[in-house]
Every structure is written in structure tokens, then in C-alpha cells.
Amino acid sequence: MGGSGYDNTAFTVQESSPPGESTPQSFKSTPKRKKMSVCHIVLLVLSLLAAGTGFAMLVGAYDAIFDSVLQSQMQVTEGSRAYEIWRLTPVPLFLRLYFFNLTNPDEFEKGAKPIVQQVGPYCYREYHEKQNLTFHRNHTVTFFQQRWWHWDQEMSGNNTRDDVITIVNAVPISAAWSVRSLKPALSSLNAMFNLLGEQLIVRATAGEIIFDGFQDPLLDWMQENMVAENGSLHNMTDLLPIPPGLTDYDRFGWFYGRNLSLNYDGEFNMKTGEDNLDELGKIDLWNRRRETDFFDAPCNRVSGSAGEMWPPNLKPDFVDFYSPDLCMTMKLFYKEDARDPNGLPGYRFWGKNLNFPNDCLLNAESCRMGSPAFISFPHFLHADPFLLAQVEGLAPDEGRHAFLMDVIPELGTPMYVAARMQINMRVIPYKGGILGGKIDILSEVPDVYLPMLWFEEIAEMPKDMAGELKALLFIMNTPTMDIIFSTMVLVGAFTVGLLVGLNFCRRK
């Protein structure tokens, strides 16, 4: 309809093509490319991160991080796990003592072979705490070790601290031994023994023999006449051949004065391992010295661990530690692989006859103020048979009397300790001669290394601590983390490949 003002082409509609006929090219639409969704992008990024992290950990990052964390917790520095365990020992400790009761004292005084009967145990709970700590720039720490003991009646069974034990008196034996080469001094000492009524055989309670101490006439006389109230000594002590130790104690007991003592074990300077874990726990100085006056070289060297930790990755050869009780370094040798009741694996080290080369005895005379005290393993285990032949009543048993220490080699941490030692007195006769030198109460005794007592310090790792270490060892000794990181790489790579493949297919 002409003149209508409308453009008819604006209303022209293209009819649909019959089936089978193609749509004209001018009306074909170009399909839009589908983009990855936000979820797919997030998944892709996470997969890339997982694969990259896993690969980095596999090629060394994990080992570096693990070693760094492990070192920070193993070194003895404030705040570390090792420091807290070392400063105040959380492991239950027990001291068990056994006495050798002399059953034929009258016959022994007249020269008969001693017959002894073991009695015990007398048990105490033991505690350790480091005091007066000072850390130094050279990665060492100086400290004193305070130890104390509490009586444990339950573990002692029917034994009590009031049990009376018959033993030889170490006071006159030590006094005579310290001046044994001076005949006039022995004669003077004998006169004093007779004047004071000194006795060779004493009967004292178990508590007195251990910590409480028992009175002795010679010690009483020394305290009254040679020691002032302020502890200073009379000038005569410089002129008289007074045996060392007689003016230091007012009572005698094998552990007298040790309970809660801050100074008895001496001053230690130990390497913290902060700069090098291979130095962890090693003693650098004892009483500010690297050598002592107690033994000849090389036995006088201060070396080894402080006895509570060793550097990680121990070898199955030996461990050594410095013992203030022995005034020397003691070495324990590898015996076998071991496993504690909690299932922790470790190396077992033990003491052998090599520890005490002189007839399998350690002469502690210089370490114990001139007393003829000799150290051995209980019941003369590993010792020369002649020592056993001198005494009746001993029965060495490796399973009961060996000195043992089980250590986790990867960490250098003890998991079980049975430190067993025996104290023996060297008793010799002083028959005298033309120049004198007779000691009446010691004139007929046999020449013998007489067992006095033996003790064992037992430490066993508690179950909760063992659980922590088992988990740590599992991670250290199994490929668990390698499997986890390998899985991260594989899963991450697979997911990345899958997402890329799906996106490619969708774009076709």
C-alpha cells in the first residue's frame, strides 16, 4: 500500500528452511566459547599447589624443615622440649640398695674367710634437678645437679630402714690405709683406736649406713678437738698425719650428706648442641677442668656425655659418660639390639670387664679421700675368679647384676637404664714389726676385697613419653611422608591434566 510510510522490508520474516536444507550462510550464528567456572579455576590452582608442594618436599624441603624443627627441640636451650626434660627429669628414677651382712664377724676378725648374706632391697625414689644454670656464648651451659631421695616402703617390701646390718667399720680401715706406709703414724693411730674404743665390726641400721650416718668414736674426737664451730681446722692438722676425710664428716654413711646436696656432684659445663647436634650433651668441663688429679692419663680426662643424652644417630659401638661418683669417664659397649616394654627399639650398651682393668676393679681411693674403696660390678660379675674365691656368699648373675643402658640411636635418648655398681673395702692386716705399725683391731684379719653393698639406679621411660617418641620414630624411619608427598604430586598432576583436558574438549 503505497504512501503508507512503512518499510515493508522491516516485517519480512525468513521462512524456515525445509528439513534437510541448509540455513543460509548469512543467518548462521557463531557459538560462544565456554569459559572455566570459578570452581574449576580454584580446583586447578589447588592442584597445582599440591603438586608443586609435594615435589618440593620430595626433593629436600621436607627434610630441611624436619631437621630444623627437630634440632630446635633437641638442643638444650630455654623453650625446647629437650631443655624441659633435661632440667627437671620427668622419668621415674629408683635407687635400690643391697647390703652384704657379715655373718661370721668374730671369725673374720681372727683371719677367717668372710661369709656374707645379701639383704635388701632398700628402695628410694630418686629425683634430679639442674640448678644455677648459666648459658654461654660458646653454646655450653654450666650447672649443678641436685639429687634427692625419698624412702619407698612399698618397693622395699618387708625391709625397713630400721633393719640392723653387721658390717666392717670403714672409718678405722680408711684411717689405717691412708697412712699404711708410715709405721710411726700407724702406731699412733693404734694408740688412739685403743683409747677411744674404736671397733672393727659395727652394727648399724640400714638407714644409718645409707643416708643418716652412724656415729664413730674417731670422728667424734676429730670434731671435738680438730674442727672449730665455724668449720675451720686446728693448726695441728698440718703437723699430724691425719687421714683425709676424717675432719670432713661427723658421721659415716655411704651416702651421708648427699641428699639434696647442691655441690656433691660438682660443677658441670655441657655443650647444648645449639650449633651442632653432634656435640649435644657432651661434657666440656667438670669443676672447671678438663683433666683431674684422681687418675693418670688418659683416665684423668673429662670426656663423654653427662649421662642423660647423647648426640643423635648413634652407632652400635659404644657410649661414654662422665661419672662424678667414679671421678672418671665410663664407657659402655654395644651388646645387642633391644626393645623396651612400650615397643621402642634401641641399642643395648653394657659394662664389661674392660671398664675396670685392674683385676676388674676400679681403685676409687684418690676419688674418695684416701678410703680403700674399690668399685666393681655386683657380686664381682665379669671379675677375676680370685675375687669370688675370697668371699663366701656371692653369686654373680648377668641378668641381675649387669650394668645396662638402652638408647634410641636416632635420638640419642636413653629409654631404659640399670646402672649397677658394688662398693668393696680393701681390708689388709697390720701385724706390725720392729718399727711398729701394728693395728690391734686389724692385726689378724685376712687380706680381702670385702663387698659392702651394691646398688642399682633404675630409669624406665613412661608410657606417655614412649608414645610420643614412637610416633616420631615412625615418621623418621618409614617412607610415610614420601608416600604422602608422592600422592600429592600424582593427584595434583592428574587433577590438573583432567581439568585441562575437559576444558579443551568443551572448546571444540
Side-chain angles (χ1 to χ4, degrees), residues 31-212:
K32 292 183 179 180
R33 293 183 178 181
K34 293 185 178 180
K35 297 181 179 180
M36 293 182 68
S37 67
V38 173
C39 290
H40 284 178
I41 293 174
V42 171
L43 183 59
L44 179 63
V45 172
L46 292 177
S47 300
L48 287 170
L49 286 174
T53 301
F55 179 77
M57 292 297 183
L58 285 174
V59 297
Y62 171 75
D63 289 340
I65 294 172
F66 183 86
D67 290 345
S68 177
V69 173
L70 186 63
Q71 176 164 344
S72 69
Q73 293 304 307
M74 288 187 67
Q75 64 192 25
V76 180
T77 53
E78 291 187 88
S80 72
R81 174 66 170 159
Y83 170 81
E84 294 302 326
I85 295 175
W86 168 81
R87 188 187 64 82
L88 182 59
T89 306
V91 177
L93 302 172
F94 300 92
L95 174 67
R96 301 190 184 112
L97 300 107
Y98 301 82
F99 295 106
F100 292 105
N101 187 59
L102 185 61
T103 62
N104 64 334
D106 296 335
E107 294 81 1
F108 173 76
E109 284 188 290
K110 296 177 181 178
K113 176 192 290 189
I115 302 174
V116 298
Q117 178 187 24
Q118 177 180 295
V119 291
Y122 297 89
C123 301
Y124 292 80
R125 287 292 302 267
E126 183 172 341
Y127 302 88
H128 294 185
E129 184 173 5
K130 309 300 184 300
Q131 300 281 16
N132 299 350
L133 278 68
T134 304
F135 287 89
H136 306 285
R137 293 181 180 179
N138 65 345
H139 307 296
T140 66
V141 56
T142 299
F143 62 92
F144 290 86
Q145 177 168 259
Q146 187 176 46
R147 294 193 282 177
W148 64 98
W149 295 265
H150 292 301
W151 172 253
D152 192 319
Q153 183 61 63
E154 182 178 356
M155 292 191 65
S156 300
N158 295 326
N159 303 302
T160 73
R161 287 173 291 181
D162 295 326
D163 293 348
V164 177
I165 314 294
T166 301
I167 58 171
V168 295
N169 190 351
V171 175
I173 293 175
S174 300
W177 177 269
S178 63
V179 295
R180 64 190 180 280
S181 60
L182 304 173
K183 301 298 184 182
L186 285 172
S187 297
S188 298
L189 195 60
N190 184 57
M192 180 173 287
F193 287 170
N194 293 334
L195 177 66
L196 298 175
E198 191 72 46
Q199 298 293 319
L200 175 62
I201 304 299
V202 295
R203 292 170 177 82
T205 67
E208 290 174 329
I209 299 173
I210 303 171
F211 287 110
D212 299 337

Side-chain angles (χ1 to χ4, degrees), residues 13-28:
V13 177
Q14 178 69 40
E15 296 181 2
S16 300
S17 299
E21 295 185 11
S22 61
T23 302
Q25 187 67 28
S26 60
F27 288 91
K28 282 185 178 181

